[in-house]
Amino acid sequence: MVIPQAPLPQTSSLPKPTDMSNGSRAASEPNEDLARAIEMLESASSVTVLCHVQPDADTIGSGLALGSVLERRGARVQVAFATPSSLPESMDELPGRHLLVDADKVAEVVDLVVTVDAGSRDRLGSLGDRLDSASGSLVIDHHRSNTHFGTVNVVFASAESTTAVIAHLLDQWGVEIDADLAHLLFAGLVTDTGSFRWVRPGSHLLAERLLATGIDGAHIARRLLDTHPFNWLPMLGAVLGSATLLPDAADGGGLVYAVIRSQDAVGLRSEEIESVIDIVRTTSEAEVAAVLKQQDFGSVWVVSLRSKTEVDVSAVACSLGGGGHRNAAGYTAAGALDDVVDALRGALSTS
Ligand SMILES: [Mn+2]
């Protein structure tokens, strides 16, 4: 799930961009755990880097960037995610993919497990148990709902992307960001900022740093965000054509939602499915947008939530068993569609 963040309100206490050597908001966050994290990364000789289930470019970009650095330092490294069984096609040009292993090939015991862009342990799916068998665990993330489930937690809730947190970590570590690392970090930055719409002071400085290594930012963005098969268009027609607006929901702010039934999604990739929320959320009459995605023709629904400004959908998602960011979150629900929608309306009216 691509989970962009809305910018934080500007206050006079925020440092100016020129104060940030890193070029990212992450650089302004104090975190005493950063030094401990670097010690853990330096001393581990075997490391598993875990990305979240249904991986997006932020978790994969973060995982492969960190994995590549560790591999160059001589560590044995595996990078993995629990589901689905293969990497989304849009990410098949990312450097460092040789580090990826299938979920069932992930080492049982390593010195260190690092999780990237996972707000909670359950976002690791079946690979969550690797946290228990490792000597230590390090959580690197930017979700405000992060549950701090690692031995050491580097969680910068104001960072644009987890790759921005990784960039800051590499700077503190003294690791030079070359073109391959920049490609990976840019992949997470461009997707989690919605192509630099949800930006803040420092976001473009980090982008500039990464682009200055010679990477082709336009190509990376097009490959990750703007490439769909023709079948995407009739799916959009069917799904958007049955979208529903509930003006009274969310205490009068309005809810718009669309449903992607399994039959609508046949033959389409996660890239096409995940694109729908970005169209639905533009509806001017609704503060909150939702897309309900049926799983395997059954009664389980993965729900993506977005809000414009007022509603904290992270809290709404948490109340329904999920998590995320203030303006972008998600959860999984089981039951009849009408009941799932009713439960969402209920959670929105009490938020
Ligand atoms: Mn992210």
Side-chain angles (χ1 to χ4, degrees):
M1 172 165 42
V2 175
I3 299 187
Q5 280 187 284
L8 294 176
Q10 291 295 298
T11 74
S12 58
S13 65
L14 291 176
K16 296 180 178 67
T18 49
D19 295 336
M20 288 179 279
S21 59
N22 166 273
S24 160
R25 173 64 61 206
S28 66
E29 293 222 19
N31 194 314
E32 60 272 15
D33 284 330
L34 199 55
R36 289 181 64 201
I38 292 169
E39 279 172 28
M40 291 173 92
L41 291 165
E42 284 193 325
S43 59
S45 58
S46 58
V47 183
T48 298
V49 183
L50 294 178
C51 305
H52 63 69
V53 294
Q54 311 304 325
D56 58 22
D58 192 29
T59 194
I60 296 294
S62 297
L64 294 181
L66 190 58
S68 297
V69 170
L70 291 164
E71 181 188 46
R72 292 173 194 175
R73 295 178 57 88
R76 290 194 308 281
V77 184
Q78 292 181 318
V79 182
F81 50 90
T83 56
S85 57
S86 59
L87 190 69
E89 195 181 358
S90 59
M91 300 179 209
D92 65 6
E93 294 181 0
L94 294 179
R97 294 184 315 286
H98 65 280
L99 295 170
L100 287 167
V101 299
D102 292 342
D104 60 3
K105 300 283 197 309
V106 175
E108 293 291 340
V109 180
V110 289
D111 294 339
L112 177 65
V113 168
V114 186
T115 73
V116 283
D117 202 44
S120 59
R121 181 184 166 119
D122 64 327
R123 292 283 288 153
L124 303 173
S126 62
L127 291 173
D129 63 1
R130 299 305 198 280
L131 290 167
D132 304 324
S133 52
S135 306
S137 58
L138 169 60
V139 167
I140 302 176
D141 189 29
H142 69 132
H143 291 89
R144 67 192 267 134
S145 62
N146 191 288
T147 58
H148 292 244
F149 54 98
T151 315
V152 171
N153 303 277
V154 176
V155 179
F156 294 165
S158 70
E160 302 88 339
S161 62
T162 296
T163 61
V165 182
I166 297 284
H168 182 54
L169 183 146
L170 296 181
D171 286 345
Q172 295 298 304
W173 198 358
V175 175
E176 184 195 346
I177 296 176
D178 63 12
D180 278 352
L181 294 176
H183 185 147
L184 293 162
L185 300 178
F186 188 84
L189 185 65
V190 72
T191 52
D192 267 29
T193 59
S195 302
F196 298 102
R197 279 171 290 181
W198 303 294
V199 288
R200 54 192 56 145
S203 305
H204 289 92
L205 284 177
L206 176 57
E208 169 58 24
R209 254 188 86 187
L210 301 176
L211 290 166
T213 65
I215 59 171
D216 186 343
H219 177 82
I220 293 168
R222 187 181 312 113
R223 181 81 191 137
L224 289 169
L225 293 162
D226 279 344
T227 302
H228 296 286
F230 178 76
N231 275 358
W232 181 57
L233 301 178
M235 181 274 277
L236 284 178
V239 168
L240 298 177
S242 60
T244 303
L245 176 65
L246 301 173
D248 298 333
D251 298 329
L255 165 68
V256 60
Y257 70 91
V259 177
I260 305 177
R261 292 186 170 76
S262 294
Q263 68 202 45
D264 300 319
V266 170
L268 293 174
R269 313 169 302 166
S270 61
E271 288 88 338
E272 284 70 61
I273 308 303
E274 299 308 318
S275 72
V276 175
I277 188 68
D278 283 325
I279 302 169
V280 176
R281 66 169 176 75
T282 61
T283 305
S284 62
E285 293 91 339
E287 161 69 15
V288 179
V291 171
L292 299 91
K293 296 164 278 187
Q294 185 182 26
Q295 305 297 297
D296 297 324
F297 294 90
S299 57
V300 174
W301 307 83
V302 173
V303 183
S304 298
L305 292 178
R306 299 290 185 273
S307 66
K308 294 203 173 81
T309 52
E310 299 306 314
V311 175
D312 180 355
V313 288
S314 173
V316 172
C318 281
S319 76
L320 295 165
H325 306 287
R326 178 179 170 81
N327 299 113
Y331 65 97
T332 299
L337 179 61
D338 287 350
D339 295 337
V340 173
V341 172
D342 284 348
L344 173 58
R345 287 193 67 156
L348 283 169
S349 66
T350 57
S351 63

